[in-house]
Amino acid sequence: MGRKLIGLTVGFFLSMAMAYFLFPVSYNQIIYWLAPYLGHWLRFFFMYLFLIFGHPLSYPTVLVAWVVIGVVSGLFVRSIWGAIPVVIFIFGFTFLMMIFGLVAVFLPLILTGAIGSIDFMAILANIPPGVSLFDIITAPVIGPIINAIIGGIGDITGGGGAVDPSIILGVLQNMIVTTIILPLVLNFIILLVAAIIGGIIGRAIFPVRD
Amino acid sequence: MKQRYYQSSTPLIRSNKFTLLVATMSVLLLLTSFLPFFYQGTHSIYSPIEIVSFQDGIKHSMYHTASLQNFTMEGNVDLTAFVVGPDGSMTGTFVAAGDVGAFNTAAPHYAECLLALSIFRWGDYLDVLTGLMQVITNDTSGSSELDAMMGILDLLPPNAILMVFMGGSSAEIQIWGDAIHQDFENVLGIQFARIFGITIPIPNMTVGIEAYGYFGEIGSPDPVEIQGRDKFQGYMLNLGTSRRGGTELITPTLANDSIGGVGIAGFLNIGVLGGSPSPMKSTMQTPESITMAAWASRHEDKFFGSEEQTFNVNEFVDRTGTFSMGTLDGFEFTMLFPSDVNITSYTPTDMYNSSSPEGVMVIRTTGHWENDTTDIPNIVVNFEGDFPPGLSIRKTITPLIPVGGIATVTIQVTNIDPTETVYEINVDDSHAWDAYLNLPHSDVAITGSTAGYWASIAPGNTETFSYQISITGEGGYVAQRANVTYEDDTARVWEKTSNKVYLTVTYTSLLEFLLILLQDIPWSLPVLLIVVLMAIYAIIWLIKLLLGVFRKRPAAPPTKTGPPPDITPEEVPPPPDEYEPPAKPYPETTCINCGAPVPPGVSFCPACGAQVAED
């Protein structure tokens, strides 16, 4: 269990460091814009959002992050079957942190009623330089969702025709699969494979005497 | 013989190399948390020279936020139907007209318009508008593009100036409005920094929205290729590309060598010179002398080269101005002046067109194209207007501070009028940070006075005052403009506003970020925390359960009799006389710790890892 605990600990901190230092610049712009109103946890949420739902093939930093996390954790565990539960927990921890960040951003605002006092016009009127909708619609994770919604609206309206519920469902399904589930699964698989590789390498370098 | 009664079953902690590795990694991780903001800091710092961002290892400009939209319009489109009202507001419609400029009206046309809607910082909301424009124009049905364009026009600031440039097969719409110099300096700095490696400060400038329309001919054997389209992407001002000549439509065989362009800088200057109509005059910035470079791009053999043109503008000297522009090959252009600007003289004399839209004066040249032997001569326009005496107010701030740090706001008031002294100068910056007061997540503390007063400022003199501000929350903060009121020598009161300033408050390290997060944990939600912890705990047990981590090991046989490890040798009772060691309770090849069989020659028990070899 000692190796697994160390692997877990290193994986936790590594995931946090990766999420922090590989933070996409477009998110930075959004955060600079909204953080004065939504608080520090916004960055925390976006950190893990990008790590969890960033498409590893579109954003190589996500791929690198999960590979590093998996390999390093596996190196410490030095066991294939030991590394797998460790990285599963790391992935779950990352996901929980994202949820926690989201809740920490909005729940206090909702419970304290502060969200009702936010002046949205002031938010729109105080956009820092460098921030534009272009940043938002091209931002990782958020951008594809917005684009999917926009494209979906175009498909749904179809130039003014009647709304077809099947088209709506198709758009939603496509959006969920391509922008949420697919990156999530890919990242998880990458982490697992990386952990197995790390376990093999770790076992080869530092054999476990058993 | 020394017996070991206890030994860790984990060989991990017995590996010196591995312990060293763990220690090294721990130290590195710790050091990492203390490292400065090396990744984000170098990419997100707001710099007045060049704003460059890196994303996924690819260099981006933070300001190249152009949105590119292709769409097709059927029929002819009259882009000249805009009207600038006397109050500066613009209305108008795109009208399907028979003839558009120098078009060959005998042929049907289609327009492939590249709306290179550079997302400028015009006022506070043009970003949003242009973004909406892009959103709306994704729907290619009907004429929503035009409607969207008109919607934007309706929302333009009243001091905006519209310029329409028509060509044989091209059209440009340029809409210029007042903007703050710092915005423009930054965005323009990108262009200059990239090309010349320098930054040319521009005290006051007008930026706006521009749209490019390229018209081709349906059925052309060689469809018009939009050359340099990529140049539109990501450039705020498209100084290197502008418009295409018109001969390609008329004589398609010349398409490849008939294209040229001129930088919009010249027109930009006119926008500045024109100022605003009377109702908005008091809030207009008085431009200072402007020297900037633009360049015309030519299209020859599908290659865009560049030429440099320099526009020198010295104006508002004693409330008169001069605009001059050097020789340009083959371009028509249109200048719109507010009606209260009196054009005293101009050359060439045939370019003045009094039949202008309401409320503006128009100077329009005739179109000349590159294959035409006639060039437009030097253009000089002298004008005068009832402008206020030149007073410049400029606000600066420390652009980047850490969370909780202190930024200094400096307001500088300069009398740039060469002859006239201004009086009773009052500067008010008390509302600059109003939008950020009483925020739930950050505190804004202002130290010092946000107001300044001087009885008079002589020509050429400068007065300055400053105050400090501290913000405890991360973010990009926009300080609104400072207002200054002053009187001229006839006691007439004028008012001006400064530029906005931007302050970026950011973390300096991961450790600082985590510490601030800890302070900002929503402790008011203990239930939430408990639930989260319980969830983590449940997941751990679930994983262990699913993967069989809780497999029970075979019970180890009782250890060999002897003193427990917590008993010192002195306390060990002497063995009774009748004590006799058991006759080999375990075979020699059995672990003394767990009793498992140990192969000969092996130092550690394969079952429990205990050392079985004698020291």
Side-chain angles (χ1 to χ4, degrees):
Chain A
M1 261 328 260
R3 290 174 283 143
K4 290 175 185 170
L5 280 177
I6 292 177
L8 273 175
T9 308
V10 172
F12 293 159
F13 283 104
L14 209 51
S15 64
M16 180 176 291
M18 287 285 180
Y20 182 80
F21 289 115
L22 300 181
F23 201 66
V25 174
S26 52
Y27 278 178
N28 246 355
Q29 302 309 312
I30 297 171
I31 284 174
Y32 284 155
W33 178 24
L34 298 178
Y37 310 96
L38 299 180
H40 308 285
W41 287 92
L42 192 64
R43 176 180 291 274
F44 188 83
F45 165 67
F46 275 111
M47 278 167 48
Y48 287 107
L49 177 77
F50 179 60
L51 205 58
I52 292 280
F53 291 114
H55 199 300
L57 303 182
S58 300
Y59 305 102
T61 50
V62 177
L63 176 68
V64 171
W66 285 120
V67 166
V68 170
I69 293 169
V71 168
V72 172
S73 299
L75 277 173
F76 277 87
V77 176
R78 293 187 290 160
S79 164
I80 295 174
W81 296 108
I84 288 175
V86 166
V87 294
I88 288 175
F89 184 75
I90 291 172
F91 199 81
F93 165 82
T94 310
F95 196 86
L96 274 179
M97 288 297 102
M98 184 194 70
I99 300 296
F100 182 79
L102 182 65
V103 172
V105 167
F106 288 105
L107 200 55
L109 291 176
I110 294 172
L111 294 181
T112 59
I115 198 167
S117 62
I118 291 179
D119 185 357
F120 290 100
M121 291 309 295
I123 294 177
L124 285 178
N126 293 286
I127 303 174
V131 180
S132 70
L133 285 186
F134 185 81
D135 292 323
I136 298 175
I137 63 177
T138 56
V141 185
I142 301 175
I145 292 175
I146 294 177
N147 282 326
I149 293 174
I150 292 172
I153 292 173
D155 293 340
I156 291 167
T157 57
V163 175
D164 186 353
S166 64
I167 296 179
I168 298 176
L169 291 176
V171 170
L172 288 176
Q173 185 180 6
N174 184 50
M175 181 187 72
I176 292 172
V177 169
T178 57
T179 63
I180 296 177
I181 295 179
L182 184 63
L184 182 79
V185 173
L186 281 177
N187 287 328
F188 185 67
I189 292 174
I190 290 168
L191 179 65
L192 277 182
V193 172
I196 291 171
I197 294 173
I200 293 172
I201 296 174
R203 196 180 185 88
I205 296 176
F206 304 105
V208 179
R209 294 168 180 172
D210 54 8
Chain B
M1 186 180 74
K2 186 167 64 178
Q3 289 285 354
R4 289 200 170 190
Y5 296 99
Y6 171 78
Q7 192 162 23
S8 169
S9 61
T10 304
L12 170 70
I13 59 175
R14 296 201 308 271
S15 170
N16 291 331
K17 287 191 294 184
F18 202 78
T19 305
L20 183 63
L21 180 62
V22 170
T24 305
M25 292 294 289
S26 303
V27 170
L28 286 177
L29 282 173
L30 189 64
L31 288 178
T32 302
S33 66
F34 283 99
L35 281 177
F37 222 32
F38 68 91
Y39 185 81
Q40 297 175 8
T42 54
H43 305 152
S44 62
I45 291 177
Y46 180 67
S47 165
I49 298 174
E50 183 180 12
I51 309 298
V52 175
S53 63
F54 284 80
Q55 179 176 332
D56 303 333
I58 302 172
K59 184 177 182 181
H60 297 276
S61 165
M62 291 170 65
Y63 278 89
H64 70 226
T65 52
S67 60
L68 194 63
Q69 186 65 43
N70 301 317
F71 60 89
T72 300
M73 291 186 293
E74 297 292 339
N76 297 329
V77 178
D78 185 358
L79 298 176
T80 62
F82 293 99
V83 175
V84 181
D87 61 349
S89 63
M90 284 181 294
T91 57
T93 55
F94 285 87
V95 179
D99 296 336
V100 179
F103 274 9
N104 179 2
T105 58
H109 300 93
Y110 73 93
E112 183 187 18
C113 287
L114 290 175
L115 282 186
L117 294 176
S118 301
I119 302 179
F120 299 162
R121 291 205 52 77
W122 186 1
D124 291 320
Y125 50 84
L126 198 58
D127 295 11
V128 179
L129 291 181
T130 48
L132 290 176
M133 176 73 181
Q134 186 192 35
V135 171
I136 294 171
T137 53
N138 271 321
D139 182 2
T140 57
S141 63
S143 59
S144 59
E145 304 88 356
L146 307 184
D147 293 338
M149 190 70 188
M150 293 313 303
I152 290 178
L153 292 179
D154 288 340
L155 294 172
L156 287 177
N159 57 346
I161 295 175
L162 170 69
M163 299 180 187
V164 180
F165 302 91
M166 297 297 300
S169 64
S170 67
E172 291 182 22
I173 306 169
Q174 296 185 3
I175 308 165
W176 303 106
D178 181 26
I180 57 175
H181 124 267
Q182 187 176 353
D183 296 333
F184 190 79
E185 184 182 69
N186 282 289
V187 297
L188 192 65
I190 297 171
Q191 301 287 340
F192 284 107
R194 283 182 172 171
I195 297 173
F196 300 109
I198 58 173
T199 296
I200 300 177
I202 301 171
N204 289 285
M205 186 47 70
T206 300
V207 297
I209 187 173
E210 55 187 330
Y212 293 83
Y214 293 95
F215 297 82
E217 183 179 5
I218 291 177
S220 170
D222 182 11
V224 176
E225 183 180 358
I226 305 299
Q227 295 293 332
R229 175 182 295 185
D230 57 338
K231 293 179 181 296
F232 289 104
Q233 298 180 8
Y235 293 94
M236 293 295 295
L237 295 175
N238 292 310
L239 291 176
T241 58
S242 61
R243 57 193 298 250
R244 298 158 65 92
T247 56
E248 56 184 334
L249 183 65
I250 302 171
T251 52
T253 55
L254 298 177
N256 289 338
D257 57 0
S258 64
I259 299 170
V262 61
I264 60 176
F267 309 123
L268 199 64
N269 282 343
I270 290 185
V272 174
L273 289 173
S276 68
S278 298
M280 293 299 294
K281 182 184 293 180
S282 62
T283 60
M284 280 292 289
Q285 300 294 302
T286 301
E288 301 167 9
S289 62
I290 298 171
T291 300
M292 59 181 297
W295 49 94
S297 57
R298 298 181 181 281
H299 180 261
E300 295 175 359
D301 298 326
K302 298 183 179 181
F303 173 77
F304 270 92
S306 293
E307 293 180 1
E308 292 186 22
Q309 294 277 352
T310 301
F311 302 90
N312 296 315
V313 180
N314 295 295
E315 52 82 35
F316 286 128
V317 176
D318 199 16
R319 304 186 187 183
T320 61
T322 300
F323 169 77
S324 62
M325 188 163 62
T327 300
L328 297 173
D329 291 337
F331 300 103
E332 69 167 20
F333 63 92
T334 303
M335 295 173 276
L336 282 76
F337 283 79
S339 58
D340 56 352
V341 174
N342 182 26
I343 299 174
T344 55
S345 63
Y346 50 90
T347 57
T349 55
D350 60 347
M351 66 179 181
Y352 184 76
N353 180 5
S354 61
S355 59
S356 61
E358 184 180 2
V360 297
M361 293 184 178
V362 176
I363 292 180
R364 176 177 293 153
T365 68
T366 55
H368 300 274
W369 306 105
E370 194 171 353
N371 59 338
D372 196 332
T373 56
T374 305
D375 289 341
I376 297 175
N378 290 347
I379 299 169
V380 179
V381 179
N382 297 309
F383 61 93
E384 62 183 12
D386 188 15
F387 302 115
L391 187 75
S392 168
I393 175 170
R394 175 160 169 73
K395 183 156 65 171
T396 57
I397 192 172
T398 312
L400 177 72
I401 60 171
V403 173
I406 295 174
T408 300
V409 181
T410 302
I411 295 177
Q412 181 178 342
V413 181
T414 303
N415 185 352
I416 58 174
D417 197 288
T419 58
E420 194 170 341
T421 300
V422 295
Y423 304 94
E424 297 297 319
I425 303 100
N426 284 285
V427 177
D428 180 16
D429 199 30
S430 59
H431 300 291
W433 304 94
D434 283 355
Y436 302 107
L437 300 177
N438 303 319
L439 290 177
H441 295 285
S442 70
D443 293 326
V444 177
I446 296 176
T447 306
S449 174
T450 56
Y453 168 78
W454 301 275
S456 65
I457 299 178
N461 284 4
T462 298
E463 300 289 349
T464 301
F465 79 96
S466 61
Y467 62 90
Q468 293 179 323
I469 184 167
S470 176
I471 299 180
T472 60
E474 179 193 27
Y477 296 84
V478 182
Q480 300 301 316
R481 305 166 194 265
N483 294 319
V484 58
T485 58
Y486 61 101
E487 298 179 2
D488 59 14
D489 49 8
T490 62
R492 188 176 176 183
V493 179
W494 299 90
E495 179 184 2
K496 287 189 175 179
T497 56
S498 76
N499 54 303
K500 292 181 182 178
V501 291
Y502 307 101
L503 172 63
T504 301
V505 183
T506 185
Y507 304 108
T508 56
S509 69
L510 174 60
L511 182 65
E512 181 187 13
F513 173 61
L514 294 177
L515 289 176
I516 291 178
L517 278 189
L518 287 177
Q519 297 171 7
D520 199 35
I521 284 181
W523 295 114
S524 59
L525 309 168
V527 177
L528 169 72
L529 292 173
I530 292 173
V531 169
V532 170
L533 291 176
M534 289 179 63
I536 295 174
Y537 193 66
I539 288 177
I540 292 175
W541 277 84
L542 187 63
I543 292 173
K544 288 179 177 178
L545 193 65
L546 290 176
L547 298 177
V549 178
F550 287 156
R551 282 197 308 267
K552 288 186 177 180
R553 293 179 178 176
T559 55
K560 186 179 178 180
T561 56
D566 56 346
I567 298 178
T568 57
E570 291 76 13
E571 297 173 349
V572 174
D577 294 336
E578 63 275 15
Y579 172 77
E580 289 183 5
K584 292 187 177 179
Y586 301 103
E588 291 181 358
T589 56
T590 299
C591 175
I592 60 173
N593 188 32
C594 64
V598 178
V602 175
S603 302
F604 294 93
C605 172
C608 67
Q611 188 173 6
V612 296
E614 293 182 1
D615 292 334

